[in-house]
Amino acid sequence: MYPAAPRILVVDDDAVIRQLVVVNLELEGFEVHTAVDGVDALEMAREVDPQVITLDIMMPRMDGWDVAAHLREDPVTANIKLIMLTARAQEADVRRGSRIGVDYYLTKPFDPDELITVVQRLAAGQPV
C-alpha cells in the first residue's frame, strides 16, 4: 500500500487504550511507536519523526493541549498530522483543538475502523 510503512506515534497514559490503538494500527501495517505522557511525546516526536500522532488530552506531566501547541510551534514537528483521541467530547474542546491546529478529533470510546481510516488518509496526505 505504501512504499514504506508510515510511522505513527500513539500517546496515551492509559496502557489499555494505548495497546488497543497500537494493535489496530500494527494490523494495518503501520510502524507504531508509543509515549506514555506529554513530555515523552515531545521527545519521541523528534526521535521517530512520525507522519501521524494520536494524542490523548488528559495526561500527567503535560496535557495533550500543551503537547499539540509545542508540536505546532516547533518547525521540526509543525507538519506532523495530529489526531486528538480523547474522552473530552465538549464542543469547546473540539474548537480548542481546531485553533491549535489539530487535524482530526476522535472521542473515546472510538470506532477502530474510523481511527484506521483517518490515520491512513492523514499519513497519505489526504484530507479527512
Side-chain angles (χ1 to χ4, degrees):
M1 180 188 283
Y2 300 99
R7 284 177 308 284
I8 312 303
L9 176 58
V10 175
V11 185
D12 201 306
D13 61 318
D14 184 318
V16 173
I17 299 291
R18 198 171 53 245
Q19 189 59 31
L20 176 65
V21 174
V22 167
V23 166
N24 277 281
L25 294 175
E26 285 181 344
L27 286 171
E28 294 299 319
F30 293 105
E31 177 186 325
V32 184
H33 300 267
T34 61
V36 298
D37 63 35
V39 173
D40 193 26
L42 292 177
E43 292 172 15
M44 290 297 293
R46 292 183 74 87
E47 187 177 311
V48 303
D49 189 28
Q51 280 82 31
V52 178
I53 296 175
T54 68
L55 185 58
D56 188 19
I57 292 175
M58 297 175 287
M59 297 183 294
R61 297 205 300 164
M62 181 184 291
D63 69 24
W65 298 125
D66 289 341
V67 173
H70 282 293
L71 291 168
R72 288 296 180 243
E73 291 166 2
D74 183 343
V76 173
T77 60
N79 294 319
I80 297 172
K81 300 298 182 187
L82 298 178
I83 300 171
M84 283 301 202
L85 182 57
T86 181
R88 304 220 13 189
Q90 289 79 19
E91 186 60 34
D93 294 317
V94 176
R95 283 194 306 273
R96 183 175 180 184
S98 181
R99 282 193 307 273
I100 293 172
V102 171
D103 296 285
Y104 198 80
Y105 200 97
L106 190 59
T107 55
K108 299 175 187 172
F110 63 93
D111 175 1
D113 291 334
E114 181 181 6
L115 173 66
I116 290 163
T117 298
V118 170
V119 170
Q120 287 172 332
R121 292 183 69 86
L122 290 175
Q126 300 171 347
V128 274

